[in-house]
Amino acid sequence: MATTTGDASPLGHVKQSQPLIIIASSLGAVFEWYDFYLYGLLATIITAQFFSGVNETTGFIFALAAFAAGFAVRPFGALVFGRIGDVVGRKNTFLVTMAIMGLSTFLVGLLPSYASVGVAAPIALVVLRLLQGLALGGEYGGAATYVAEHAPDNKRGLFTSFIQTTASLGLFAALLMVIGVRTVVGEEAFAAWGWRIPFIVSIALLAVSLWIRMQLEESPVFQKMKDEGKTSKAPLTEAFGQWSNLKIVLIALFGAVVGQGVVFYTSQFYALFFLEKNLRVDGPTTNILIAIALLIATPAFIFFGWLSDRIGRKWIILTGCALAAFTYMPLFHALSKAANPALYAAQASSPVSVVANPEECSVQFDPVGKNKFDSSSCDIAKSYLAKAGISYTNVVAPAGAVAQIHIGGTTVPVVNPAVVTGPDRAAAIKTFGTEVKTALTAVGYPEKADPAQINKPLVVAILVILVLYVTMVYGPIAALLVELFPTKIRYTSMSLPYHIGNGWFGGFLPTAAFAMVAATGDIYYGLWYPIVACAVTALVGLVFLPETFRRSLHS
């Protein structure tokens, strides 16, 4: 078996420095994740810049498209660039993906706003988002395959685990850049033009990352196969058109990657959303707490990658999924108690319920904030509680009954929009809101988390546990996926299940979980999404997923 030390390999190719291989592949991935996360961190400002002034329907479509586009197209990027990577080579393919993603991000910083060019602005933004998602769909498989094919047999988990740190490091870098620019230019200037700076300066990072990657040579495993004329002529057909390989793709997806994807997005992104939106911890404090947890836990990616070289990949990944499935609910309850103890105590002592006819109730999920939810008493009640972030239960009332809100032992009747119309309705709804707020305050519900009452060490400890689950499932996953598939279709075969699991099952998790919370009123209900997904992955993986850590890549 070839190693990556010395001057020449048994395969007949010049060897490269192991640190150069790892740094070049990892740095490029950090940069691409940095670009990707900027969209999420600046979503509010981007919406104001690009979606203002359009009609309600168009604005709704564009807002959803801009959010979802990058995740939706990642599997297609995996197919396009996976095929190129298996036909042309690993190195050139991930040079192209980096260039596309980097230039797309840079151009976002130069785009005119809706106020300047009208509907062309959001269309251009969505196009760039699509390009970014396509490029990211091809990046991961290339970097992971390239590093793994250079690594010694007994260090593939360790080597590829550095790639796994890149998502967290990219988020960390984007967070620091946004906080830094905001601090220097001020909030008003940042909202007006300063938000462009993190996008524009990425061109310098792109240049450095491309230069470093250009120093690399082709993977020796792929080059040997190419020299012998054994590369696949139709990698898509061989990967997904033949049951023998498609079966492994499906096992990889449902027996490993789905659970890994939802753990990643639950423990990092949904946890951030949960702190800020549900527990009402202020944004800067939330960002700092998440950043500290990432800083503490990120080295565990390397540890679990190294450990998987000793005891295997499968059991570490499945253990992480099983732990997440069993402990997410108690951990998020503990997070609530530590981050906003007053809210947690009030919910326990004076629970809120909405008594209403369910046929009159809409789902309180409004991505663009256009729906007023005032056509029924049930909608008025739930709309207020949803906007206030108050968890509640639903109690069925008979048809025709006007909704009520029960807060502990207090009952607040809701406005009946069938009786109160026009300006009187708006005034009545405002009065109703004041009455509910007064009743909530009386029993201890706080408007926001009191910074002095936040148990920050405990919050960080819980967040570290959540991120450790990420490191367990994510640290060994690249090595596992690389080892599952033969060299000639490896890039294609591993990229598709990875990006379906992460781009679709994981990427849409925050939106789906929020919709579940909005539908039920229970701030913990959205956790059933990752709990069920992790349980399914643990069961499927236990039965069908093979152990791979002793396999050779020369096939």
Side-chain angles (χ1 to χ4, degrees), residues 67 71 258-271 273 328 332 501-516 526-531 533-534:
F67 174 81
F71 292 112
V258 167
Q260 172 260 303
V262 300
V263 168
F264 180 87
Y265 282 93
T266 301
S267 295
Q268 295 189 152
F269 287 96
Y270 190 68
F273 165 80
Y328 267 157
F332 274 81
N502 284 268
W504 290 358
F505 284 90
F508 292 125
L509 181 143
T511 302
F514 174 73
M516 292 168 69
L527 292 170
W528 285 110
Y529 181 122
I531 287 171
C534 286

Side-chain angles (χ1 to χ4, degrees), residues 362-403:
S362 303
V363 175
Q364 300 290 312
F365 180 53
D366 183 23
V368 293
K370 296 291 186 179
N371 197 328
K372 295 182 179 179
F373 292 116
D374 63 354
S375 61
S376 72
S377 59
C378 178
D379 282 355
I380 292 171
K382 292 188 174 183
S383 176
Y384 179 89
L385 295 174
K387 290 176 182 177
I390 302 297
S391 185
Y392 61 88
T393 57
N394 294 281
V395 178
V396 177
V402 178

Side-chain angles (χ1 to χ4, degrees), residues 206-540:
L206 172 64
V208 172
S209 299
L210 281 174
W211 180 81
I212 293 175
R213 279 199 174 180
M214 288 176 71
Q215 311 309 307
L216 301 177
E217 298 176 5
E218 185 52 84
S219 152
V221 176
F222 179 84
Q223 190 63 51
K224 178 178 183 291
M225 184 179 65
K226 189 173 183 179
D227 292 343
E228 295 173 349
K230 296 180 180 179
T231 57
S232 173
K233 304 300 181 185
L236 293 179
T237 300
E238 290 188 45
F240 311 118
Q242 299 177 7
W243 175 245
S244 59
N245 197 74
L246 178 60
K247 176 178 64 177
I248 304 301
V249 169
L250 294 174
I251 292 172
L253 175 61
F254 293 105
V257 187
V258 167
Q260 172 260 303
V262 300
V263 168
F264 180 87
Y265 282 93
T266 301
S267 295
Q268 295 189 152
F269 287 96
Y270 190 68
L272 185 150
F273 165 80
F274 188 82
L275 279 169
E276 190 169 353
K277 301 300 182 182
N278 294 110
L279 303 183
R280 286 171 266 168
V281 178
D282 65 270
T285 299
T286 296
N287 290 340
I288 291 170
L289 294 172
I290 291 286
I292 292 172
L294 286 174
L295 193 62
I296 294 171
T298 292
F301 285 107
I302 310 300
F303 169 76
F304 285 114
W306 168 84
L307 185 63
S308 75
D309 287 326
R310 272 101 186 126
I311 67 173
R313 331 284 188 206
K314 170 179 176 176
W315 296 110
I316 296 174
I317 295 170
L318 297 187
T319 299
C321 288
L323 285 172
F326 281 111
T327 65
Y328 267 157
M329 199 65 78
L331 281 174
F332 274 81
H333 274 273
L335 188 62
S336 299
K337 189 174 183 179
N340 196 337
L343 177 63
Y344 188 83
Q347 289 174 337
S349 62
S350 302
V352 176
S353 61
V354 174
V355 183
N357 175 17
E359 294 183 2
E360 296 180 359
C361 302
S362 303
V363 175
Q364 300 290 312
F365 180 53
D366 183 23
V368 293
K370 296 291 186 179
N371 197 328
K372 295 182 179 179
F373 292 116
D374 63 354
S375 61
S376 72
S377 59
C378 178
D379 282 355
I380 292 171
K382 292 188 174 183
S383 176
Y384 179 89
L385 295 174
K387 290 176 182 177
I390 302 297
S391 185
Y392 61 88
T393 57
N394 294 281
V395 178
V396 177
V402 178
Q404 298 178 336
I405 294 180
H406 291 178
I407 305 169
T410 303
T411 298
V412 181
V414 185
V415 177
N416 185 355
V419 176
V420 185
T421 59
D424 291 339
R425 179 190 294 182
I429 291 174
K430 184 177 180 179
T431 300
F432 159 76
T434 302
E435 292 174 353
V436 175
K437 182 178 178 180
T438 300
L440 290 169
T441 303
V443 294
Y445 280 83
E447 283 193 46
K448 59 182 181 179
D450 181 355
Q453 297 299 317
I454 298 174
N455 188 338
K456 294 178 182 177
L458 182 55
V459 170
V460 169
I462 295 168
L463 293 175
V464 167
I465 293 172
L466 294 176
V467 179
L468 285 176
Y469 292 166
V470 177
T471 65
M472 291 183 71
V473 300
Y474 203 45
I477 196 74
L480 175 91
L481 292 174
V482 167
E483 292 160 348
L484 277 172
F485 302 104
T487 302
K488 64 178 182 176
I489 55 172
R490 179 171 294 137
Y491 199 148
T492 303
S493 297
M494 71 164 287
S495 293
L496 185 63
Y498 176 82
H499 286 294
I500 290 177
N502 284 268
W504 290 358
F505 284 90
F508 292 125
L509 181 143
T511 302
F514 174 73
M516 292 168 69
V517 170
T520 62
D522 181 357
I523 63 172
Y524 302 106
Y525 193 76
L527 292 170
W528 285 110
Y529 181 122
I531 287 171
V532 171
C534 286
V536 169
T537 293
L539 291 173
V540 172

Side-chain angles (χ1 to χ4, degrees), residues 58-76:
T58 303
F60 179 82
I61 293 171
F62 276 141
L64 290 181
F67 174 81
F71 292 112
V73 301
R74 279 171 59 175
F76 301 102

Side-chain angles (χ1 to χ4, degrees), residues 46-60:
I46 288 174
T47 299
Q49 290 287 329
F50 294 100
F51 300 129
S52 60
V54 294
N55 66 64
E56 183 174 339
T57 302
T58 303
F60 179 82

